[in-house]
Amino acid sequence: MKVQADLLLTDIGELITMAGSPGLRRGEDANELSIIRGGVVASFHGRIVWTGKTRDVFNSVQLVNNSLEIDVAGKVITPGFVDSHTHPLYTGTRQVEFAMRAAGADYEDIAAAGGGILNSVSRTRQASSADLEDTLIKHLTTMLLLGTTTVEVKSGYGLDLETEIRCLETASKLAEYWPQTIARTFLGAHEVPLEYRNRSDEYIKYLIVEVLPKIKSMELADFVDIFCEKGVFTAEQSRRYLQAAKDMGFGVRMHADEFHDTGGASVAVDVGAMSADHLLSISDRNIEKIAGSNTVATLLPGTALFLGKPFPPGRRLLDAGAAVAIATDFNPGSCFCESMPLMINLAVCQCGFTIEEAVTAVTVNGAAALGMDDHKGALVPGFDADMILWDLDDYRGIAYHMAIPDIEDVLIAGQLVSSMFE
Ligand code: NIG
Ligand code: FE
């Protein structure tokens, strides 16, 4: 019995399918890309229906009327990237602070003096929904042209009910009509707002009692996140907050151990977080703890690069057996960069990943960090036909070409989308 298809990509030099065990990939599994050489991928109504060798396609696939067939001339196809950690819901850039850092100031000192996140908050509070939508579209488009087909989008530059709702409504609106798949995260606990200065406990209580139930009833977010960091929220506050969010039915995730080891990763594991992110300063003990859990260790090497900090301990996490994802952390303060291809290069050149582990980290493990590993991150029947067509004949070129992506086209749900923006 042949499967029906409306899209057929033929003569693929290397089809990186990522077929394999469902869920998190760790250890040797993270090195297995399940490559089909000299193959074909077929999709129907936006979902993969068949992959295999060219010689078998005639007996396996039936093209329907008006289908599209593309000969990719021996090139590489991978799943689209899953960027599982970004902050694009803001207005106003922070070049002034960037210049201060260039002149020697430290990121944390700028934040402690009332700049940093609170600088973006004051401008985002004044932004209209249209301003927010414009900024979001601009950055999502850049991400798309760089191969990102699924993206997590955090709020967290409002820090009051009205602005946080406006930001999440903007993300929800785009999720309805925009080609990329968007996961929405409420990050109202990104910083202590000025109104609650020195009263962070009261702010956490306000978020738990008043804000989270509202976000839940309005169905504005899929996940809840908190910035657990010295001078922001403590491990104890993070535990209380994320447990409350989880009890309300949210998936939870956490900014953990970015600048200081505050035990954030340990709390993330204890509360069953989907991911603990950053981890530049994670302790050896907590490397072992996260490795023994189902919490994804999400590394954001662009932030270390942008801030001039030591890179996260990728090799040690991988060797301990952690499931590791890589994301951009795109935001106006600590990583103004949308490029997953750059993050792959940094993971390999600065964090000790093999090229294959890096590809796993931006596909299946990124999808797992968002609870989407049953339909994103791999090119196997039933999964979404989100694909990158590379102008490469060897997938290793993805990591090798630093900062310059050799992308020919991006497909989302079986549609060629990147050419729409040219
Ligand atoms: O993930 N660490 C906290 N939040 C962002 C930085 C946000 C900003 O500086 O605006 C991050 O790096
Ligand atoms: Fe972040």
Side-chain angles (χ1 to χ4, degrees):
M1 178 67 178
K2 292 187 188 180
V3 293
Q4 287 197 318
D6 54 20
L7 174 76
L8 197 62
L9 303 180
T10 63
D11 191 16
I12 304 169
E14 295 178 339
L15 176 63
I16 313 299
T17 70
M18 304 307 297
S21 51
L24 307 176
R25 301 269 169 92
R26 54 177 106 228
E28 259 322 294
D29 284 351
N31 268 309
E32 181 52 58
L33 304 186
S34 298
I35 303 175
I36 300 173
R37 293 193 163 80
V40 169
V41 56
S43 72
F44 188 55
H45 289 174
R47 295 246 171 91
I48 306 289
V49 288
W50 191 83
T51 60
K53 292 277 195 190
T54 304
R55 60 171 180 266
D56 299 323
V57 69
F58 186 74
N59 290 324
S60 311
V61 178
Q62 168 85 54
L63 282 178
V64 299
N65 286 342
N66 298 319
S67 56
L68 180 64
E69 187 173 339
I70 306 173
D71 182 333
V72 306
K75 292 178 179 172
V76 173
I77 291 187
T78 66
F81 296 139
V82 179
D83 188 348
S84 60
H85 183 138
T86 83
H87 307 245
L89 287 167
Y90 72 95
T91 56
T93 47
R94 305 227 299 269
Q95 284 104 321
V96 174
E97 290 181 4
F98 183 71
M100 286 162 68
R101 286 206 296 111
D106 181 73
Y107 176 81
E108 284 181 274
D109 295 340
I110 293 171
I117 293 168
L118 291 180
N119 179 353
S120 291
V121 168
S122 66
R123 289 200 271 166
T124 303
R125 284 182 179 179
Q126 290 160 31
S128 67
S129 298
D131 295 335
L132 291 165
E133 192 172 340
D134 283 353
T135 308
L136 183 56
I137 286 177
K138 183 171 159 201
H139 297 303
L140 289 179
T141 303
T142 306
M143 290 174 189
L144 195 157
L145 296 174
L146 293 164
T148 298
T149 53
T150 296
V151 56
E152 184 252 17
V153 161
K154 300 179 196 292
S155 69
Y157 292 114
L159 310 188
D160 62 22
L161 184 61
E162 189 204 321
T163 316
E164 287 290 320
I165 286 177
R166 193 157 70 249
C167 288
L168 289 171
E169 279 177 342
T170 304
S172 304
K173 180 178 169 194
L174 252 80
E176 294 292 311
Y177 78 83
W178 189 253
Q180 285 153 310
T181 299
I182 295 174
R184 305 153 306 162
T185 296
F186 173 62
L187 182 55
H190 196 188
E191 179 55 283
V192 184
L194 282 179
E195 311 82 270
Y196 282 87
R197 191 161 226 172
N198 300 322
R199 295 190 295 133
S200 59
D201 255 347
E202 276 177 59
Y203 183 57
I204 289 288
K205 192 169 168 199
Y206 161 72
L207 290 176
I208 293 174
V209 175
E210 294 191 33
V211 183
L212 288 180
K214 187 102 187 164
I215 301 290
K216 188 74 200 167
S217 69
M218 293 176 76
E219 296 182 12
L220 285 175
D222 310 296
F223 301 107
V224 168
D225 191 351
I226 185 167
F227 187 19
C228 178
E229 184 59 64
K230 197 170 156 190
V232 191
F233 297 107
T234 66
E236 191 276 317
Q237 288 169 330
S238 303
R239 185 186 298 272
R240 199 172 352 123
Y241 181 62
L242 293 183
Q243 192 57 54
K246 210 172 170 197
D247 292 344
M248 289 179 213
F250 290 105
V252 297
R253 47 197 340 106
M254 190 172 180
H255 282 68
D257 303 328
E258 180 177 1
F259 301 118
H260 303 274
D261 169 24
T262 61
S266 172
V267 172
V269 172
D270 289 345
V271 300
M274 316 271 304
S275 67
D277 304 34
H278 282 291
L279 309 178
L280 303 188
S281 306
I282 187 173
S283 67
D284 290 344
R285 191 147 54 102
N286 287 335
I287 286 180
E288 293 301 325
K289 183 164 176 176
I290 201 167
S293 78
N294 285 330
T295 296
V296 176
T298 299
L299 305 186
L300 311 164
T303 310
L305 181 76
F306 200 80
L307 296 181
K309 304 271 178 194
F311 283 89
R315 191 68 255 155
R316 287 197 287 138
L317 282 156
L318 290 158
D319 285 344
V324 182
I326 301 168
T328 60
D329 193 26
F330 170 79
N331 75 75
S334 67
C335 187
F336 200 54
C337 177
E338 299 94 338
S339 175
M340 289 293 268
L342 176 61
M343 301 312 146
I344 292 171
N345 175 273
L346 292 176
V348 170
C349 295
Q350 306 295 337
C351 308
F353 285 61
T354 64
I355 296 169
E356 294 74 19
E357 286 165 339
V359 172
T360 299
V362 294
T363 55
V364 280
N365 279 358
L370 297 179
M372 295 186 184
D373 46 304
D374 58 349
H375 64 293
K376 297 283 186 192
L379 301 177
V380 297
F383 277 49
D384 293 348
D386 296 348
M387 299 180 261
I388 306 171
L389 170 56
W390 296 88
D391 187 18
L392 292 170
D393 59 10
D394 180 333
Y395 72 86
R396 291 172 294 193
I398 297 168
Y400 171 55
H401 205 167
M402 183 171 173
I404 307 298
D406 295 300
I407 292 178
E408 195 160 295
D409 219 324
V410 179
L411 295 99
I412 297 183
Q415 305 283 326
L416 288 162
V417 284
S418 58
S419 41
M420 283 167 28
F421 293 93
E422 280 158 10

